[in-house]
Amino acid sequence: MEQKKIDRINELARKAKGPEGLTPAETAERDALRQEYVAAVRASLTAQLDSTCVQYPDGTRKKLKRKRP
């Protein structure tokens, strides 16, 4: 995610805490930006976990498997 979008999320969060609050359009923009940010964090974490291996005491390595409920 671009730094410009993260800065906008922070700007909207500060404005929401202030006395003026957010307009409905700004609230919708904030929600969309938050969803995009969460998706980017999840994708990053998934990529990191997909490349993670467990090394056993005997020196063998095994990739982590995905658990699906």
Side-chain angles (χ1 to χ4, degrees), residues 37-66:
Y37 177 77
V38 169
V41 169
R42 282 185 181 152
S44 173
L45 180 60
T46 301
Q48 184 177 5
L49 290 174
D50 285 344
S51 64
T52 300
C53 294
V54 176
Q55 184 170 355
Y56 294 98
D58 64 357
T60 59
R61 290 179 155 201
K62 190 172 184 178
K63 282 199 162 237
L64 294 177
K65 291 183 182 177
R66 224 175 243 247

Side-chain angles (χ1 to χ4, degrees), residues 10-55:
N10 291 331
E11 179 184 329
L12 290 171
R14 281 190 295 276
K15 187 174 179 185
K17 291 179 183 177
E20 66 271 358
L22 295 176
T23 65
E26 290 173 331
T27 302
E29 178 187 5
R30 179 187 65 181
D31 293 343
L33 287 171
R34 282 181 176 176
Q35 287 178 356
E36 186 179 342
Y37 177 77
V38 169
V41 169
R42 282 185 181 152
S44 173
L45 180 60
T46 301
Q48 184 177 5
L49 290 174
D50 285 344
S51 64
T52 300
C53 294
V54 176
Q55 184 170 355

